[in-house]
Amino acid sequence: MQIKVLFFATLRDRIGARQLEVALDEGAQSIGGLRSELMRRHPAASQNLQVALAAINEEFAFDSDAIQDGDEVAFFPPVSGGAAGAFPEIFRLPTGPIDHNEIIAAITTPRCGAVCLFTGIVRGATDKPGHLAQTEWLEYEAYQAMALTKMKQVAAEIRARWRKVEGIAIIQRLGVLQVGENTVLCACSAPHRDDGCFEAARYGIDRLKEIVPVWKKEVGADGASWIEGAYLPAASDKSVTAP
């Protein structure tokens, strides 16, 4: 059996490669078996592999899940913190700046009188445990195909909870970003301010940091470090449209 294995963030550094073609014996044809085999082949990454999240063909997978010939399997740490139907939706992973006014205009329909927009920027200093005290720049990377799929899942979850939300935008920048640059955006529009747009935008950014596979590396005078989250997806985090 031949499969493609992708590695992201800390695992990419430990393995020394972003992608490997791996031949699996019969006893290793599950996520748990593949995990053990990779730990044997790459002992320097064994600790990270042991706790890594997994995906098969862009959907969360678990140790008991079987792997088929030709599958794409990804291992990664917990996430660091278009149009569909009748309502506008935007899902992007750009490398350039986010134009907030363009996004607001794109998700506002004639029925909308309210837009709530959350945007994040690169901090230069922080006292949060586990982060560099002084940051010179950040590097963001993503498992891009899966990230876009999970962004759409976040939007579907928003719609299931706040029925009056109309437009949704979820955007995460990738690449090297300097202090003060915008990094992420979640915006929701609705007819009125009390129709859920505040709550939906907050839910969107929080959920993005749980299930959308994006990671950041902080770089400063004291070194560099990938920032990994603590959220561990469950079977319920799989998309309802997944096969």
Side-chain angles (χ1 to χ4, degrees):
M1 175 187 293
Q2 193 78 16
I3 64 169
K4 179 168 65 175
V5 185
L6 308 179
F7 304 98
F8 295 92
T10 310
L11 280 159
R12 183 194 74 186
D13 291 351
R14 295 283 191 271
I15 297 289
R18 187 183 297 274
Q19 174 180 320
L20 295 176
E21 299 293 330
V22 177
L24 289 180
D25 296 331
E26 185 174 344
Q29 294 176 6
S30 68
I31 290 295
L34 174 59
R35 190 191 303 273
S36 296
E37 177 62 17
L38 290 171
M39 290 169 65
R40 184 186 67 79
R41 296 186 190 185
H42 303 278
S46 60
Q47 184 175 359
N48 301 89
L49 284 164
Q50 189 171 14
V51 298
L53 307 184
I56 298 176
N57 299 329
E58 303 170 16
E59 185 54 87
F60 289 121
F62 305 92
D63 278 0
S64 61
D65 289 347
I67 301 171
Q68 306 298 323
D69 186 48
D71 278 349
E72 178 181 274
V73 179
F75 286 98
F76 42 82
V79 174
S80 49
F87 300 116
E89 293 183 349
I90 297 172
F91 310 106
R92 297 178 187 170
L93 295 166
T95 55
I98 302 170
D99 184 335
H100 294 170
N101 289 331
E102 181 258 326
I103 298 303
I104 291 171
I107 66 168
T108 303
T109 72
R111 294 179 297 275
C112 291
V115 176
C116 184
L117 181 150
F118 171 87
T119 189
I121 62 174
V122 180
R123 291 186 304 270
T126 183
D127 57 1
K128 190 174 181 180
H131 294 256
L132 297 179
Q134 300 291 327
T135 300
E136 295 179 0
W137 48 271
L138 299 179
E139 176 190 350
Y140 281 88
E141 77 165 6
Y143 182 10
Q144 294 193 36
M146 184 176 176
L148 290 169
T149 296
K150 303 313 278 188
M151 284 178 174
K152 293 174 184 178
Q153 179 180 333
V154 172
E157 292 177 1
I158 286 173
R159 295 203 181 283
R161 289 164 172 77
W162 293 279
R163 299 288 185 177
K164 293 184 179 180
V165 165
E166 299 218 344
I168 299 173
I170 303 174
I171 300 173
Q172 171 66 61
R173 288 182 66 185
L174 303 179
V176 174
L177 303 179
Q178 305 296 326
V179 171
E181 289 194 77
N182 53 23
T183 63
V184 66
L185 175 147
C186 184
C188 296
S189 65
H192 304 281
R193 68 180 183 275
D194 58 355
D195 284 338
C197 59
F198 286 99
E199 297 86 350
R202 174 61 186 265
Y203 178 90
I205 187 64
D206 289 346
R207 194 68 168 133
L208 180 149
K209 290 179 177 292
E210 289 179 341
I211 68 169
V212 178
V214 176
W215 307 272
K216 67 181 178 183
K217 178 188 279 187
E218 293 182 344
V219 180
D222 296 330
S225 176
W226 287 101
I227 304 302
E228 300 178 4
Y231 183 81
L232 300 178
S236 59
D237 289 312
K238 288 188 174 184
S239 170
V240 294
T241 60

